[in-house]
Amino acid sequence: MSTELHRKTAPASVRCFVLTISDTRTEATDTSGDAIAGLLTAAGHDLAGRALVKDNPDAVRQELSKHPDTVDVVITTGGTGITSRDSTYEAIASLLDKRLD
């Protein structure tokens, strides 16, 4: 499929879910999640929901597993430091059917 055809047939909007992963953020201080949600809605996308979970692989996987059939896109923010405690990438990678490096 050409890029032009792809753009013509792509949906104008998608249902999105924003997941903030942080041990320190609260709903009141989640500026990254707020920015992402605002940009999505401004672009005409449907914000299906938001959540904030601790930087814990089980918590991340559990939250993501709630949305496989209800949203088109999940956008995550946070949890991506370089310490051994930051394990968002590993938690999400374990849920993927196909990985594109």
Side-chain angles (χ1 to χ4, degrees):
M1 176 183 296
S2 72
T3 303
E4 184 177 315
L5 180 59
H6 174 75
R7 287 186 178 141
K8 284 182 181 178
T9 60
S13 68
V14 292
R15 291 182 48 83
C16 303
F17 185 83
V18 177
L19 178 61
T20 299
I21 303 154
S22 177
D23 291 333
T24 59
R25 297 286 182 250
T26 65
E27 288 184 22
T29 62
D30 182 17
T31 55
S32 295
D34 291 342
I36 293 166
L39 289 167
L40 288 169
T41 56
H45 298 291
D46 179 22
L47 184 62
R50 286 179 62 180
L52 193 147
V53 297
K54 296 290 184 192
D55 193 353
N56 172 289
D58 291 333
V60 172
R61 283 190 292 267
Q62 182 178 359
E63 186 60 42
L64 290 175
S65 69
K66 294 178 183 178
H67 309 284
D69 299 323
T70 59
V71 299
D72 302 306
V73 176
V74 175
I75 298 174
T76 65
T77 182
T80 56
I82 59 172
T83 69
S84 61
R85 175 109 176 88
D86 297 309
S87 54
T88 298
Y89 177 82
E90 292 81 5
I92 293 171
S94 71
L95 299 173
L96 300 175
D97 293 328
K98 184 173 184 175
R99 182 176 148 186
L100 301 173
D101 291 326

